[in-house]
Each structure stands twice: as structure tokens, then as C-alpha cells.
Amino acid sequence: MSETAVKAYNLGKMYKLFRSPGDKILDAFGVLEWAFWKKYKFREFWALQDVNFELKKGSRLGIIGPNGAGKSTLLKVISGNIPPSVGTVEVNGNIQALMELGTGFHPEFTGYENIRASLAYQGFTLNEIKKAEQEIADFTEIGQFLSQPFKTYSDGMKARLAFATATVIKPEILIIDEVLGAGDAYFLRKSSQRMLKMAESGATILLVSHALEQIMRFCEETIWLDRGRIVMFGASIEVVKAYEQYVRMLSDRRIKARNYKRMSSRYGSDTYDIFGDYIFVVFKLEGQYQACCDISEIRLLKNGEIEERLMVGSSQDNNPFHSSFVMIEEGDWSSPQKKEKVTWRSLNIPKKQGMVTGKAAFLFHALFDNTKYDLEIDYRCENACTLSVEIWKNGYTLIHKEDVLNETQGWAKSCIELKNLVSGAAGADSENIPQTHMNLNEKTISVRRWPSEGSLAIEQVSTVNGENKEQTVFEVGEPIIVKILIKAHKTGLFPLLPAVSIYRLDGILVTHYLEQRPICSVQLEKDQKRIILLDMGSPKFGNGYYVFSVGLFGEAVEESQRYDLIDKSFEFEITGNDPIFAGTIFHIPGIWNVEIPGNSNE
């Protein structure tokens, strides 16, 4: 008897995306296959690709990843709701899948009626249904609501009923997709205890959740999915640590860009919380009939380090919800291709046509001044052809035929320096950016500079770590340093009294960093600059986002002495607090002691 509960081998799922409902109907009847007049019959969208893992019976597997990573698609393939396009999935045991709230429950039926219908479908006898009804009622604790229509239930009540009904059947494999997130802490504790008992009895459990503490507490192993591929598979603690580091990097990148854009004249306030810039990489292939060029990978480098990597031909490479994607609708890209571990798309010269094009897009929260950007391309060209590359920024041609890539012997790499990338065109017009990317924060923070005396101005504000590297997401206890660049607008001797005030996003004041008298006086010529540093030490802030004001005064914190003040315009984030301190603004450690009454020395 096999000890394997679930085994996936080279699993992939492809969806056909049609340009019109008519094309979809033609494809359903097999007519579109013969529609030779159609240049594009459909687009291939690979939601999953190259998924390989094996899960032993009685194991508990967590699946994590950002929205759109392919988690729910993977569960649907495992549960048999949809067939795989390639590869195989082996499942040994009966499955219960909780994919969405209320799935399989009729909204007009009462809770009791839905329980009976569900259990009857599973083959329960009348006596078994009656016994299970009482067990479900006791577990859900929703009382008289079981006699009410299911459509009147809250999400939490729906989650309780769905989970209780699925687990009373005692399946060999239980699949849960975010359903537990709708319940309260009490229900989560009860459901976790039931799942642990099921696992101890030999059941196999697959849990998808964005609540990483849930994954850590409950799952032995975890899969991290992104763009339809497995990034990491192993012990939950290691996978979750790596994923948290990745999420922290993305958050740090986004907050840095917001802080930068608020101080830059190139961006309007309507771009603070969206991708502020985008570039198109346009490939133009010229050559004789049957000439071909394959593009495997495009990397965007920032100061020599990879900022964004587009794996052309890989799963979800044409998903416009990502920050880099192949633009299938515009140009002549082939379908995705793969050999061994290399994926690519091709540009091919068809008969009687001398040039074809392909386009890829990269979106940025911001492009930074004094920063070197480069583009690396992995490619191969065959049959006497040349491939030219154009770079467009925010809809304008920035680099025209910067590099010409000739015929190669196998895979080659070309590096293009993106000159004048920041100054080459204005910041992006939000109307030109796909609406899918205008998603980011519920609250938009704009720069508010107070009227001031103006002899000195705050030019730039950033937060750095103990190694003087810019950082905006800090683990609790990490050193935080505020770095303020100031500039003189006239020559003189200036006393400096800086101030920083930190607030939560809801406006509650956390703390001031303010001296009673100037920290020094400096002699500055007009246009000279200085850097002021505030070392905050290792503050015990609670988890969450914080916004801070920066002020610069002369002899005293008074309006007449104010050189400059930018109010509540810069952000940082704190993570890593123990859940026991969730919701605290500031944790001040104390020292506990025990004494005998009347004799403190004993």
C-alpha cells in the first residue's frame, strides 16, 4: 500500500485566453483550429508550470505566496476540479476541499438542509446523518441560525458550517483554501485542534493561508509559490523565513519609492501610491525567411544588482498584474517554449515579411536619481538575422537601436546601459499605467511643507540602518537612523535645531525627537549642503506603518525660527514583534523583582 497521499510530477495548467466570445465558441466546436485567416487564435496563459512535490500520508503541507501565484489553481488540480494541461498528479485517498465560503451549499436552504444534502451526497445513511447533525451543531455553536437560510449567515458562520461539515466526514485528504481566515480566534483554535486530531489519525492536510503564523504553527512543510512556479519547498520555518524576507524587500522598495517621490518634482501626488514609471523593451528582428531569435530572460539591474527578472516563456510571463511581463497583444511573440530547464519565446520571420517585433514591459514605483540602470538579455539568433533593441520610457523612445544582436552560436548575453533613464522623460502619467497597478495603499500621504523662513531647506529625508544603508522596513529592535540632507539658500552662520515627530497612520503621536537648544552652528555658503543624522537607537515600536515629520529650526522651536518643516510625509514600517504585543504603539521593557514584605534585603 502506497505511503504517498499526493504526488505532483511536472504539473502545469494552461488556460486559453481569447480575444472575443466568438473565438471561444469557435474553439469549443473545433473550428478555430482551422481558422487560418486568424493571426492570433488565442493566447496561452500558464497559471502553473513545473510543479513537483510529494506528500506522505498524515503530513500537513502549507502553501503560501502572493495573490495570483497559482495556489488555488494548484488545489483545484489536486482536488480534481480542473484537469492539468501537462504532467500528472497522483492522489491516494478520498478528498474534501474547502475552496470558497459556501461552496456546495444552497443559499436558500437552511443550515440543517445543507448539512443533510451534503452528507447524503457523501453516502451517509439516515442514522449517520442524524448523528453527524448533532456533532456539527455542537461544533459550530451557531444555535438557531442552523434553521435559517444559508444566505443570511456571516462569513464566519459560513466558515464554521463548511469546516464542520467537511471534517465530520473524516476525509483521508483535507484541502483548505483561506476558509479559516474568515473565522474568529476561538473558531481558529477549535478548528486547529480538530485538524491536529485528524492528522494524528492519518489524514493528510493541505492548507493555503496568508496568515504565516498559522502555517508555522500547523504545517510541517511548506511550498512557496510565485508566478505559478515553486520558489522553495521544505521545512515550514525555513520557507516562511525566506518568504517573509522577500515580502519585506518588496515593502521596503515600495516605501522608499513613496518617500522619494514626495520630495521629487518629477512626480505628481496622484502617482505616490502607484507605479510611477514604466519602460518598454522593444525587440525588432530583421532577416531572411525562417530567421529566428529566442529571448529567454530579461533582467533589469540597479547599481549592478538585479532589480527585476522576467523569465520569458515561463509561467505567467504574460500576466499584466506583475511588475514585468511580456506584451503578447502587441507584436509577434511565439507561444512559450521549453527545453530542459530553459524557457523562451521566439520571434520568427514568416514568408514574405522582413521584420517582426516583440515587446516587454517593466514597471517601477520610481526611478531614482544618481542610480545606474542596465538591461541584460539572454538570447540566441539563427539564420542570418539581426535583433535591434529599443527602450521606451513612459511612452517616449529613450534609446533607439542601442545594441544590435547578431547571429549566435547557442545562448548569449547582451548588456545595455540605460543612459539618461531618469532624466530622459517625465514621470509617468497615471492614465498611461494599466489600472491593475493602481492598487497600493488605502491611505495616500502627500507632502505638506509648512511656510517657513527659508534660509535652509530640507532637500531629502531617508531612514538608514546601522550600516548606513537605506532601509524603510525594520525588525523590532533594529537600529533606525533618520538621515536629513539640508541646503543653504543664502550664506550665513546658522544655528541648527532639528526635530522629528513620529505618528501612526491614524494620526496618534508616538514620540518626539527634539532638543531644547541648537545642537550646533554651521557656517554655510549659498547652495552648500550638510547631512544631519538622528540616531533613534533600537526603538521598541509596535508592528505597523509609521509616518514622521521633519523640522529644522534656529535658536528655538518657534515659527519665526523655522527654516523648514515637512509634516507627516515620510514612512517606515516595523515588523517582527511577538503577537502578545500586537496593537501596542511602543513597548517599554521593565525589570520585575520579588521581595519579602518588610525586608527588601532578604
Side-chain angles (χ1 to χ4, degrees):
M1 185 176 179
S2 175
E3 291 299 316
T4 300
V6 180
K7 183 178 181 179
Y9 177 72
N10 287 342
L11 198 63
K13 179 60 185 177
M14 185 269 287
Y15 293 99
K16 294 179 180 179
L17 303 181
F18 299 93
R19 287 194 167 189
S20 69
D23 284 353
K24 188 174 182 179
I25 294 172
L26 291 175
D27 182 74
F29 286 97
V31 178
L32 193 63
E33 183 178 346
W34 302 98
F36 56 86
W37 67 89
K38 293 270 188 182
K39 185 177 180 181
Y40 301 105
K41 298 180 176 66
F42 57 82
R43 289 191 293 127
E44 291 185 1
F45 178 78
W46 286 87
L48 290 174
Q49 201 169 53
D50 294 328
V51 174
N52 293 276
F53 70 91
E54 183 174 354
L55 188 60
K56 299 295 183 182
K57 288 185 176 180
S59 300
R60 290 164 289 167
L61 176 69
I63 303 176
I64 60 176
N67 291 331
K71 304 184 297 296
S72 295
T73 300
L74 175 58
L75 296 188
K76 288 176 182 177
V77 172
I78 293 172
S79 63
N81 289 344
I82 57 175
S85 301
V86 296
T88 59
V89 57
E90 175 188 338
V91 178
N92 298 310
N94 66 302
I95 294 179
Q96 277 293 314
L98 300 178
M99 307 293 287
E100 297 177 9
L101 289 176
T103 299
F105 286 178
H106 196 290
E108 300 294 339
F109 288 1
T110 66
Y112 282 120
E113 289 169 340
N114 274 302
I115 291 170
R116 292 163 192 155
S118 179
L119 297 182
Y121 179 77
Q122 296 294 330
F124 276 46
T125 66
L126 289 176
N127 287 335
E128 289 172 335
I129 291 174
K130 187 174 181 180
K131 181 180 178 181
E133 264 186 4
Q134 188 58 48
E135 182 180 340
I136 292 171
D138 292 342
F139 186 87
T140 59
E141 299 182 22
I142 58 178
Q144 296 181 351
F145 271 96
L146 284 173
S147 300
Q148 301 301 316
F150 187 73
K151 66 182 181 181
T152 65
Y153 290 14
S154 67
D155 283 349
M157 293 163 66
K158 290 177 180 177
R160 289 188 178 212
L161 186 58
F163 179 82
T165 305
T167 53
V168 77
I169 299 170
K170 296 180 174 55
E172 294 174 289
I173 302 172
L174 178 64
I175 295 177
I176 302 174
D177 186 4
E178 290 291 351
V179 173
L180 297 183
D184 54 25
Y186 172 67
F187 168 67
L188 178 60
R189 189 178 300 112
K190 283 187 69 175
S191 57
S192 296
Q193 290 172 351
R194 174 168 283 199
M195 286 192 292
L196 284 171
K197 289 181 179 179
M198 291 175 60
E200 291 170 358
S201 67
T204 305
I205 298 172
L206 285 80
L207 173 64
V208 167
S209 180
H210 289 292
L212 299 182
E213 67 279 1
Q214 224 178 81
I215 296 291
M216 288 277 291
R217 182 171 64 248
F218 190 73
C219 300
E220 302 157 323
E221 293 184 303
T222 297
I223 288 175
W224 168 12
L225 274 180
D226 197 4
R227 289 198 176 204
R229 302 173 71 94
I230 292 180
V231 178
M232 191 174 179
F233 176 33
S236 291
I237 186 170
E238 298 301 328
V239 177
V240 169
K241 278 164 50 180
Y243 181 66
E244 285 180 325
Q245 184 177 7
Y246 168 75
V247 171
R248 176 176 169 175
M249 179 272 292
L250 293 181
S251 183
D252 185 67
R253 182 184 296 179
R254 184 171 63 249
I255 297 172
K256 282 179 185 175
R258 285 207 295 262
N259 290 341
Y260 169 79
K261 285 191 283 189
R262 292 183 189 119
M263 295 297 291
S264 172
S265 60
R266 295 191 297 112
Y267 299 93
S269 59
D270 59 336
T271 69
Y272 291 163
D273 288 316
I274 65 172
F275 286 105
D277 292 293
Y278 61 96
I279 67 170
F280 294 148
V281 183
V282 184
F283 300 99
K284 294 186 177 181
L285 180 70
E286 300 180 77
Q288 62 186 18
Y289 171 53
Q290 291 187 336
C292 174
C293 184
D294 303 324
I295 307 296
S296 174
E297 187 173 334
I298 310 170
R299 294 176 295 276
L300 199 290
L301 276 63
K302 177 182 175 183
N303 291 330
E305 297 184 358
I306 295 176
E307 179 81 355
E308 185 68 29
R309 171 185 274 123
L310 175 57
M311 307 290 290
V312 180
S314 185
S315 56
Q316 300 195 27
D317 71 334
N318 57 335
N319 189 343
F321 285 86
H322 294 307
S323 54
S324 62
F325 54 93
V326 174
M327 303 180 72
I328 298 299
E329 298 289 350
E330 302 183 37
D332 304 286
W333 290 111
S334 73
S335 296
Q337 301 176 67
K338 178 186 175 185
K339 187 173 182 179
E340 295 177 349
K341 294 186 178 181
V342 180
T343 62
W344 69 87
R345 289 182 186 265
S346 299
L347 294 172
N348 301 282
I349 302 292
K351 192 173 183 179
K352 297 181 181 180
Q353 185 174 343
M355 185 179 75
V356 291
T357 62
K359 188 184 290 187
F362 289 80
L363 292 93
F364 304 88
H365 296 292
L367 292 168
F368 292 82
D369 294 310
N370 303 316
T371 302
K372 185 177 184 294
Y373 293 96
D374 300 285
L375 197 71
E376 287 185 349
I377 303 167
D378 292 345
Y379 74 102
R380 64 184 176 190
C381 292
E382 299 176 356
N383 297 334
C385 62
T386 57
L387 182 72
S388 61
V389 182
E390 293 182 358
I391 308 297
W392 299 359
K393 176 191 171 186
N394 300 339
Y396 299 90
T397 301
L398 186 64
I399 299 175
H400 179 67
K401 291 190 176 180
E402 166 68 19
D403 212 66
V404 177
L405 315 180
N406 296 307
E407 188 173 350
T408 64
Q409 298 294 323
W411 290 104
K413 180 174 72 174
S414 176
C415 186
I416 300 174
E417 182 181 353
L418 302 182
K419 302 174 183 176
N420 304 317
L421 186 59
V422 174
S423 59
D429 183 345
S430 61
E431 293 182 0
N432 292 327
I433 299 177
Q435 293 295 311
T436 54
H437 298 288
M438 301 181 65
N439 60 332
L440 300 179
N441 260 6
E442 295 180 3
K443 296 188 177 182
T444 298
I445 301 170
S446 58
V447 171
R448 184 186 179 195
R449 191 185 292 267
W450 286 27
S452 303
E453 182 265 346
S455 298
L456 300 178
I458 299 168
E459 290 277 294
Q460 187 176 341
V461 177
S462 60
T463 51
V464 301
N465 58 25
E467 299 176 353
N468 198 32
K469 292 182 179 179
E470 186 176 358
Q471 182 174 321
T472 58
V473 181
F474 298 87
E475 286 280 334
V476 63
E478 273 192 282
I480 303 177
I481 299 171
V482 178
K483 193 173 185 179
I484 307 165
L485 177 67
I486 65 172
K487 179 180 178 181
H489 285 179
K490 67 179 183 180
T491 299
L493 178 66
F494 301 99
L496 297 181
L497 179 55
V500 169
S501 299
I502 297 177
Y503 301 83
R504 292 197 319 193
L505 285 185
D506 59 7
I508 294 178
L509 175 65
V510 178
T511 187
H512 289 302
Y513 291 91
L514 177 65
E515 299 295 328
Q516 297 298 315
R517 59 184 62 86
I519 59 172
C520 67
S521 293
V522 294
Q523 179 68 41
L524 294 174
E525 301 296 321
K526 183 180 179 182
D527 294 330
Q528 268 194 306
K529 298 182 180 181
R530 289 290 186 272
I531 292 176
I532 300 174
L533 299 174
L534 167 64
D535 187 346
M536 295 165 55
S538 302
K540 301 286 187 179
F541 294 130
N543 287 351
Y545 289 92
Y546 295 84
V547 61
F548 61 97
S549 306
V550 178
L552 190 61
F553 299 85
E555 295 290 349
V557 182
E558 298 175 359
E559 185 175 350
S560 61
Q561 295 286 315
R562 186 168 63 222
Y563 299 127
D564 200 2
L565 191 153
I566 302 177
D567 185 35
K568 301 183 185 70
S569 299
F570 309 100
E571 295 176 68
F572 63 88
E573 182 185 2
I574 298 295
T575 64
N577 273 286
D578 190 281
I580 196 172
F581 296 115
T584 59
I585 298 178
F586 201 95
H587 172 53
I588 303 175
I591 298 175
W592 290 91
N593 204 349
V594 177
E595 295 182 350
I596 298 175
N599 189 350
S600 61
N601 294 324
E602 294 185 18

